[in-house]
């Protein structure tokens, strides 16, 4: 096929995004397909099943490589460490019915769009694939698959207004509709039969089916039936669970799919309005938003008017958000780049609710459809549930390796079995059955079921404590967490803010502080006006709604919002303005009210918001509020007090949230809508500081202390001011009083591509004296150096610095993260990025937030814990019903207990199967085996019951300062398994050999030991007729079925009680689980089982022995067996306690052999301990390299919506 196909055979899909994939082109070949079909028939479907598990093998067998352009099958591979393959068939969409003539070709709006570039001429067909519910079409010119269902990013602001401002023509719409598909987020409820088939084809259940068939062939009916019942129960429970999730998800999205909307159509240059069902919408359509509440069926860009939207469905915060229209900027930048981080202020997201619309001069509120279907914000959320990120946890990888070892173990046993039975001339059928039996003994079919029981119990315990889990496999990961990122507002501190005081400023001097709640009300003046109008509050359902900070500030004025719709203001056209008026309790004011004409909403990037307001009958004024440092920069220097910085530090150092206020008058006659934000927010007059109190939650300090005592790192990630964040961290105990805080500041150097980074010690937080470090350099410097030498320092940095460090000082980032405790002014994208960077250092990261704009980080973390019950918390694996961080240690405790339980179950199941395996192989030596009831007793009465009850043990209430091992293949665990296998082997071989040495032992006469038994004489005649193989060929009557022998009785009794010993020894309690005696059910079960086993040892009931294939032995031998078991118990218990669980011993061994942890962060810690120059103090470094773009990684994991105004200012 030449070189070309190979070259174009491969490409990348969604490059730089979270769901990045590699795509390979293949073409089906007839003769290969025919060979595969023959293979399916000859292998009785086994090959088909293998291809179902391995789709890549299916493609490689059926197809040949070709370029993507020629491909009719594509193979997709994820680019993460899992490299998961999936197979997709290429489909063709015909648009010939829509394009009858040259005139019908996509029009002006289409020239540079993917729609015109995807239509193949002359066939008028579009080549497409669908991956994870998103459609991709083949771009003929770019020679690649491109996503459709979204407006292209390259449009400029003015182009969006010009191209889509009057709507699409009917023809443009129809072509787009056929290519993009319907605008629906359709999650059909998966039929039960499909779920059943998918579950049954799981490799584990296929192995169980093989085992069950084999047991039926050997007449081992009872256990086969028990396994079938257990498996069916397990399958039905899983299917029921999946079905419930499917129904829940279907309900979550179904309301979105059938909404009636009004669109604007372009007919021969004239616009006309038309009502249609929302599933007909296409990207580029013009939506007209009517008054009243509307649920948005797609993502759209607002191009005229203003909206107030409730985004709680996506952000978890029920604070109404103001959206403004896209400016008509005339430049060449794509609209998103032009609006920078604030582009979301112009986007209405799918699934959110428009509460209120405000039209401008045109009289209608219009929006251009940006994304449809699964491309939307809500679609993204639903896809994150449908296709969760696979978890990379060593336990699951090790479990597979462990199973492989057992299979290898079984293979040795099979070879041994074939040799022994074939050499003794057994029938071929019998040999095959016996050797296959070894596999079902060595690889316990009940293993996965036993492992899931522990997790199910833990999930139930968490549910009782008000913690809900949608991703059970993450419970074990919680046991490994060693770093928790906390959001601040609403997580560590109370949700609401209290107004503490106001520090007004007049003629560049701060006045006396006005405290709240005060006896006298605030005097009328610019500060009062700013508090009354500088907010984005609305009246919704009779209540004032909005940012809690705004609500508190406005309530302090005792004014009210007049919500009668629309007020005409002189000289302002038809502007719909919100008017605030003095309330009944308000102090007298010289005005009737103030109208808010225009809003520039709060922006995380700009850290401020502004309004243009006008006193009724008065002049227009601008009021701005925001981060004090930001507001002061926008004010005229002569209006800002000289002691501004020290005053700000005074309050932020006490943990107050400080807001700056400013204002200016506007020239008369200028339309407020014509002014740009830059014009409005300049040359302001500084008005003063508003001081809010954000109290710590009562449980914050004890929880953080508990985590610290358990050596679990706590990190604060917030959108608030850095000084406030540091103070809250100190008050909460994240940073102890003796530790130093070093502020890391990184800045871009204007006019160049390089950047600088500076390390400054944060000043001593003594509120009474702020004398900087220069007053007493020697002592302060020495004190800091001492703290640094002992490693007691913490880095604090802002989101801006973090971004610059990630771009320009990549090599310093790991060092900074190692001691970074406070990350302030972080955007949602940066929060996700930070969590990922911590994960790269081999930390197990938990993220605890209120769901608002932490959703991206909650999804990325190993364990995301949302304290919000809004629908946004679906992104988070864990949700706490009580909004308190007390759930974090609770989850870690339960995670550790679940992890240890998993290990105990693994060890027990490994040993139970090995004990049975060794016993069977010993008996095979004599062409004997365990009887069916013997197997049944061990498998069902012992192991199944233990498997179900062993996991009942709860978590230990105290968090110890170390974690359980994270992998099965750790030396203590392996040693424990190996030693116990050796004990079991010794016990069984000893019993097997010694019984043959007994004076009463006879190979042929199985009744010789109990001569005193009355019916011995009657039986002896029938016994003597049995030869050596008489057991197998002869009388299969009541007396004997060929299994009875002294070796069988000895080995079976020893191995059965050995299973109980192992269960007791492995059920360890402290330090991660409660002591074993607290698990009453398990203890009662063990006592009951031991009682039955001892009864079987000492009872001499003929019928019972006959049923169980046991023979009578002298009492001395029975006592000898009990002594052997007691010795095994003592040895096993001693080894487990004195060696395996002896932590000091293992630490000593590590020290002796100089073993160091391979975790990246541990290695880095050791390097930095040797580095006396770290951390540099009062030094500045410059980057010489060109910046690496980290755009992709910064925002990659945040749903477009999640950037909300979390910590506001």
């Amino acid at each position: 096929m030449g070189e070309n196909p190979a070259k174009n055979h491969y490409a990348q899909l969604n490059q730089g995004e979270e769901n990045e994939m590699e795509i390979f082109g293949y073409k089906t070949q007839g003769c290969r397909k025919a060979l595969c079909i023959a293979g399916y028939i000859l292998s009785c479907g086994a090959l088909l099943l293998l291809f179902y598990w391995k789709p890549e093998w299916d493609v490689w067998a059926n197809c040949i490589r070709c370029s993507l352009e020629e491909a009719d099958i594509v193979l997709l591979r994820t680019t993460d460490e899992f490299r998961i393959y999936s197979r997709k068939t290429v489909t063709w969409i015909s648009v010939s019915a829509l394009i009858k003539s040259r005139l019908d070709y996509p029009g002006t709006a289409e020239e540079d769009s993917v729609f015109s570039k995807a239509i193949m001429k002359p066939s008028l067909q579009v080549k497409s694939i669908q991956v994870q519910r998103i459609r991709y079409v083949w771009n003929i010119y770019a020679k690649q698959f491109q996503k459709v269902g979204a407006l292209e990013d390259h449009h400029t602001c003015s182009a969006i207004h010009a191209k889509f401002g009057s709507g699409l023509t009917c023809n443009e719409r129809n072509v787009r509709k056929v290519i993009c598909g319907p605008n629906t987020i359709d999650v059909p409820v998966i039929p039960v039969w499909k779920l059943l088939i998918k579950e049954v084809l799981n490799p584990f259940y296929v192995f169980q089916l093989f085992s069950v068939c084999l047991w039926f062939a050997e007449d081992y009916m009872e256990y086969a039936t028990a396994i079938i019942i257990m498996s069916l129960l397990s399958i039905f429970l899983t299917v029921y669970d999946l079905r419930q999730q499917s129904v829940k998800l279907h309900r979550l999205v179904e309301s979105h799919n059938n909404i009636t909307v009004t669109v604007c159509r372009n007919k021969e240059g004239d616009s006309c309005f038309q009502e249609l069902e929302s599933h007909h919408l296409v990207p580029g359509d013009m939506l007209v938003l009517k008054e009243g509440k509307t649920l948005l069926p797609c993502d759209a860009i607002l191009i005229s008017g203003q909206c107030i939207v409730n985004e709680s469905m996506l952000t978890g915060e029920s604070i109404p958000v103001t959206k403004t229209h896209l400016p008509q900027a005339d430049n060449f930048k794509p609209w998103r780049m032009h609006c920078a981080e604030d582009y979301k202020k112009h986007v209405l997201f799918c699934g959110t609710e428009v509460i209120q619309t405000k039209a401008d001069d045109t009289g209608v509120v219009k929006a251009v459809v940006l994304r449809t279907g699964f491309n939307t914000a809500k679609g993204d959320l639903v896809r994150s549930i449908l296709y969760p990120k696979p978890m990379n946890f060593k336990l699951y990888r090790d479990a597979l390796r462990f199973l492989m070892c057992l299979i290898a173990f079984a293979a040795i046993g099979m070879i041994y079995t074939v040799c022994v039975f074939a050499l003794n001339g057994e029938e071929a059928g019998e040999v095959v059955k016996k050797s296959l039996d070894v596999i079902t003994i060595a690889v316990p079919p009940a293993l996965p079921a036993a492992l899931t029981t522990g997790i199910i119990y833990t999930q139930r315990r968490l549910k009782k404590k008000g913690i809900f889990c949608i991703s059970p496999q993450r419970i074990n990961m919680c046991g490994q967490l060693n770093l928790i990122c906390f959001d601040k507002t609403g997580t560590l501190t109370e949700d609401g803010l209290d107004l503490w005081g106001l520090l007004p400023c007049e003629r560049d001097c701060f006045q006396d502080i006005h405290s709240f709640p005060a006896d006298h009300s605030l005097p009328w003046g610019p500060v009062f006006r700013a508090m009354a109008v500088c907010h984005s509050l609305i009246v919704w359902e009779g209540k004032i709604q909005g940012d809690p900070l705004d609500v508190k500030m406005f309530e302090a004025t005792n004014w009210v919002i007049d919500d009668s719709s629309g007020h005409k203001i002189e000289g302002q056209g038809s502007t719909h303005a919100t008017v605030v008026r003095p309330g009944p309790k308000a102090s007298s004011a010289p005005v009737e009210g103030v109208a808010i004409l225009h809003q520039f909403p709060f922006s995380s990037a700009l850290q401020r918001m502004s309004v243009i307001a006008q006193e009724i009958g008065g002049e227009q004024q601008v009021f701005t509020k925001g981060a004090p440092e930001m507001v002061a920069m926008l004010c005229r220097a002569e209006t800002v007090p000289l002691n501004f910085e020290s005053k700000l530090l005074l309050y932020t150092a006490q943990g107050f949230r400080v807001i700056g206020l400013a204002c200016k008058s506007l020239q008369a006659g200028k339309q407020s809508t014509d002014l740009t934000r830059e014009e409005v927010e300049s040359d302001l007059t500084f008005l003063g500081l508003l001081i809010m109190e954000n109290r710590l939650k009562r449980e914050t300090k004890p929880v953080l202390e508990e985590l610290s005592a358990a050596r679990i790192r706590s990190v604060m990630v917030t959108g608030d001011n850095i000084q406030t964040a540091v103070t809250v961290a100190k008050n909460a105990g994240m940073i102890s009083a003796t530790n130093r805080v070093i502020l890391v500041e990184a800045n871009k150097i204007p006019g160049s591509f390089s950047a600088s980074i500076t390390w400054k010690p944060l000043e001593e937080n003594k509120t009474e004296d702020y004398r900087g470090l220069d007053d007493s350099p020697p002592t302060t410097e020495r004190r800091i150096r001492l703290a640094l030498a002992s490693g007691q320092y913490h880095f604090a940095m802002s989101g801006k610095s973090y971004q610059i460090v990630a771009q320009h000082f990549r090599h310093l980032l790991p060092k900074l993260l190692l001691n970074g405790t406070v990350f302030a002014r972080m955007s949602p994208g940066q929060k996700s990025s930070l969590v990922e960077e911590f994960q790269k250092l081999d930390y197990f990261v938990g993220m605890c937030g209120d769901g608002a704009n932490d959703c991206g980080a909650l999804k990325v973390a190993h364990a995301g814990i949302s304290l919000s019950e809004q629908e946004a918390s679906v992104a988070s694996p864990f949700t706490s019903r009580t909004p308190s961080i007390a759930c974090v240690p609770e989850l870690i405790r339960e995670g550790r207990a679940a992890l240890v339980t998993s290990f105990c179950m693994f060890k027990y199941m490994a040993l139970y199967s090995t004990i049975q395996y060794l016993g069977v192989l010993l008996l095979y030596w004599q062409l004997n085996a365990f009887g069916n009831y013997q197997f049944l007793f061990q498998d069902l009465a012992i192991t199944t019951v233990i498997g179900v009850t062993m996991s009942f043990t709860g978590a230990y209430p105290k968090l110890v300062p170390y974690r359980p091992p994270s992998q099965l293949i750790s030396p203590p665990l392996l040693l424990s398994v190996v030693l116990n296998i050796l004990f079991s082997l010794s016990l069984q071989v000893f019993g097997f050999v010694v019984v043959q040495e007994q004076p009463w032992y006879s190979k042929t006469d199985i009744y010789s030991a109990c001569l005193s038994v009355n019916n011995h004489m009657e039986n002896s005649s029938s016994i003597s007729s049995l030869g050596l193989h008489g057991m197998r060929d002869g009388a299969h009557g009541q007396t004997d079925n060929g299994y009875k022998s002294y070796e069988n009785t000895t080995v079976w009794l020893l191995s059965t009680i050995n299973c109980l010993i192992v269960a007791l020894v492995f059920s360890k309690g402290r330090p991660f689980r409660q002591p074993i005696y607290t698990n009453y059910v398990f203890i009662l079960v063990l006592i009951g089982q031991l009682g039955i086993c001892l009864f079987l040892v000492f009872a001499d009931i003929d019928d019972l022995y006959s049923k169980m294939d046991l023979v009578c032995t002298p009492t001395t031998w029975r006592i000898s067996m009990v002594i052997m078991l007691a010795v095994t118990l003592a040895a096993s218990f001693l080894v487990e306690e004195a060696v395996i669980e002896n932590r000091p011993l293992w630490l000593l061994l590590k020290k002796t052999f100089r073993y160091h942890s391979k975790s990246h962060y541990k290695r880095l810690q050791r390097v930095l301990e040797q580095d006396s120059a770290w951390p540099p103090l009062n030094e500045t470094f410059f980057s010489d390299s060109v910046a690496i773009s980290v755009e992709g990684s910064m925002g990659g994991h945040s749903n477009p919506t999640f950037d909300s105004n979390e910590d506001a200012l």
Side-chain angles (χ1 to χ4, degrees), residues 625-638:
K625 81 167 193 302
E629 312 91 327
M630 213 66 206
V631 171
M633 279 164 62
L634 302 170
C635 292
R636 299 198 313 280
E638 64 271 17

Side-chain angles (χ1 to χ4, degrees), residues 1095-1112:
F1095 176 72
L1096 284 172
V1097 172
F1098 290 105
D1100 213 351
I1101 302 162
D1102 280 356
D1103 288 348
L1104 177 66
Y1105 266 35
S1106 180
K1107 215 35 167 189
M1108 293 301 296
D1109 295 315
L1110 297 173
V1111 292
C1112 176

Side-chain angles (χ1 to χ4, degrees), residues 927-932 934 1002-1007 1019 1022-1046 1048-1049 1102-1103 1105-1111:
L927 308 187
N928 198 336
F930 287 155
N932 279 359
Q934 291 177 329
S1002 162
K1003 213 167 199 175
T1004 51
D1005 184 359
I1006 50 171
Y1007 295 102
N1019 288 337
S1022 67
I1023 295 160
S1024 56
S1025 66
L1026 289 172
L1028 173 61
H1029 293 292
M1031 293 186 276
R1032 303 208 61 80
D1033 321 317
H1036 279 262
Q1038 175 65 31
T1039 48
D1040 191 4
N1041 61 5
Y1043 292 122
K1044 291 180 182 174
S1045 73
Y1046 291 121
N1048 172 301
T1049 301
D1102 280 356
D1103 288 348
Y1105 266 35
S1106 180
K1107 215 35 167 189
M1108 293 301 296
D1109 295 315
L1110 297 173
V1111 292

Side-chain angles (χ1 to χ4, degrees), residues 957-1068:
K958 185 179 184 296
L959 277 177
V960 289
Y962 50 92
R963 299 172 297 159
S966 64
Q967 48 194 45
L968 272 173
I969 305 168
S970 63
L973 243 144
L974 281 178
L975 187 67
S976 172
V977 170
V978 170
L979 287 176
N980 276 286
I981 287 175
L982 290 175
F983 292 150
S984 304
L985 181 64
S986 313
L987 174 73
Q988 292 188 36
V989 170
F990 187 73
F992 184 78
V993 172
V994 173
V995 75
Q996 295 175 4
E997 302 299 319
Q998 299 305 309
W1000 42 261
Y1001 171 79
S1002 162
K1003 213 167 199 175
T1004 51
D1005 184 359
I1006 50 171
Y1007 295 102
S1008 61
C1010 298
L1011 292 170
S1012 57
V1013 177
N1014 300 334
N1015 61 354
H1016 168 61
M1017 293 315 291
E1018 297 155 35
N1019 288 337
S1020 58
S1021 57
S1022 67
I1023 295 160
S1024 56
S1025 66
L1026 289 172
L1028 173 61
H1029 293 292
M1031 293 186 276
R1032 303 208 61 80
D1033 321 317
H1036 279 262
Q1038 175 65 31
T1039 48
D1040 191 4
N1041 61 5
Y1043 292 122
K1044 291 180 182 174
S1045 73
Y1046 291 121
E1047 289 91 345
N1048 172 301
T1049 301
T1050 303
V1051 169
W1052 185 79
L1053 286 170
L1054 288 176
S1055 63
T1056 306
I1057 300 177
N1058 196 359
C1059 286
L1060 299 182
I1061 289 174
V1062 165
L1064 180 69
V1065 169
F1066 285 168
S1067 298
K1068 53 169 161 284

Side-chain angles (χ1 to χ4, degrees), residues 170 173 261-265 267 272-276:
C170 271
R173 255 205 81 259
V261 291
T262 308
V263 292
C264 185
R265 283 277 166 269
K267 288 192 177 173
C272 64
F273 296 133
Q274 180 184 342
E275 284 207 346
L276 49 87

Side-chain angles (χ1 to χ4, degrees), residues 595-607:
I596 302 166
L597 306 179
H598 190 73
Q599 258 186 46
F600 295 100
F602 173 78
S603 143
S604 316
L606 302 173
Q607 298 174 11

Side-chain angles (χ1 to χ4, degrees), residues 744-1049:
V744 178
E745 275 186 358
N747 292 295
K748 282 191 175 163
I749 297 167
S752 78
F753 286 112
S754 60
S756 66
I757 183 168
T758 311
W759 282 264
K760 297 182 204 159
L762 217 61
E763 296 183 19
E764 282 286 62
N765 290 336
K766 299 272 191 300
T767 47
E768 61 278 359
D769 97 286
Y770 269 97
R771 290 172 309 187
L773 291 170
D774 304 328
D775 292 5
S776 54
T779 52
T780 316
E781 190 75 31
R782 199 177 316 118
R783 212 165 51 243
I784 295 169
R785 274 283 155 222
L786 272 169
L788 300 185
S790 57
Q792 299 170 326
Y793 59 91
H794 300 261
F795 292 126
M797 65 167 91
S798 66
K800 181 179 129 251
S801 295
Y802 170 74
Q803 184 107 14
I804 293 168
V805 169
Q807 283 176 332
H808 294 268
F809 299 98
R810 193 83 207 159
H811 62 289
L812 289 177
L813 191 59
K815 294 182 180 183
L816 292 171
L817 294 185
L818 206 58
N819 284 73
T821 303
V822 175
F823 295 85
R825 297 268 188 249
M826 296 285 276
S827 73
Q830 288 167 346
K831 286 184 180 184
S832 306
S833 164
L834 179 72
V835 169
E836 286 191 304
E837 290 299 336
F838 274 129
Q839 286 172 333
K840 284 178 193 169
L841 289 177
D842 297 331
Y843 278 109
F844 279 84
V845 186
M847 172 77 201
C848 182
D850 54 3
N853 61 2
D854 308 312
C855 275
L858 289 171
K859 261 168 70 180
V860 178
H862 289 111
I865 308 147
S866 165
L867 303 184
S868 149
E869 282 204 79
Q870 296 284 353
E871 283 174 1
S873 65
V874 290
S876 163
F878 300 96
T879 307
S880 170
R881 187 185 278 159
T882 47
S884 138
I885 65 165
C887 64
V888 175
E890 199 53 68
L891 195 58
I892 295 172
R893 273 194 285 272
E894 288 294 353
R896 286 178 172 188
L899 191 55
V900 171
T901 302
S902 295
F903 288 146
C904 291
M905 282 312 306
F906 254 116
K907 283 165 69 175
Y908 174 69
M909 285 314 228
L911 264 141
Y912 138 72
S913 55
T914 310
I915 289 168
Q916 205 177 58
Y917 168 83
L918 293 171
V920 169
L921 293 191
L922 273 175
L923 293 177
Y924 274 2
W925 187 252
Q926 294 198 326
L927 308 187
N928 198 336
F930 287 155
N932 279 359
Y933 281 108
Q934 291 177 329
F935 270 129
L936 191 65
F937 185 80
Q938 280 190 354
D939 292 341
L940 208 58
I942 302 281
T943 301
T944 308
V945 180
I946 283 176
V948 169
T949 56
M950 196 189 229
S951 310
F952 280 147
T953 314
Y956 194 61
K958 185 179 184 296
L959 277 177
V960 289
Y962 50 92
R963 299 172 297 159
S966 64
Q967 48 194 45
L968 272 173
I969 305 168
S970 63
L973 243 144
L974 281 178
L975 187 67
S976 172
V977 170
V978 170
L979 287 176
N980 276 286
I981 287 175
L982 290 175
F983 292 150
S984 304
L985 181 64
S986 313
L987 174 73
Q988 292 188 36
V989 170
F990 187 73
F992 184 78
V993 172
V994 173
V995 75
Q996 295 175 4
E997 302 299 319
Q998 299 305 309
W1000 42 261
Y1001 171 79
S1002 162
K1003 213 167 199 175
T1004 51
D1005 184 359
I1006 50 171
Y1007 295 102
S1008 61
C1010 298
L1011 292 170
S1012 57
V1013 177
N1014 300 334
N1015 61 354
H1016 168 61
M1017 293 315 291
E1018 297 155 35
N1019 288 337
S1020 58
S1021 57
S1022 67
I1023 295 160
S1024 56
S1025 66
L1026 289 172
L1028 173 61
H1029 293 292
M1031 293 186 276
R1032 303 208 61 80
D1033 321 317
H1036 279 262
Q1038 175 65 31
T1039 48
D1040 191 4
N1041 61 5
Y1043 292 122
K1044 291 180 182 174
S1045 73
Y1046 291 121
E1047 289 91 345
N1048 172 301
T1049 301

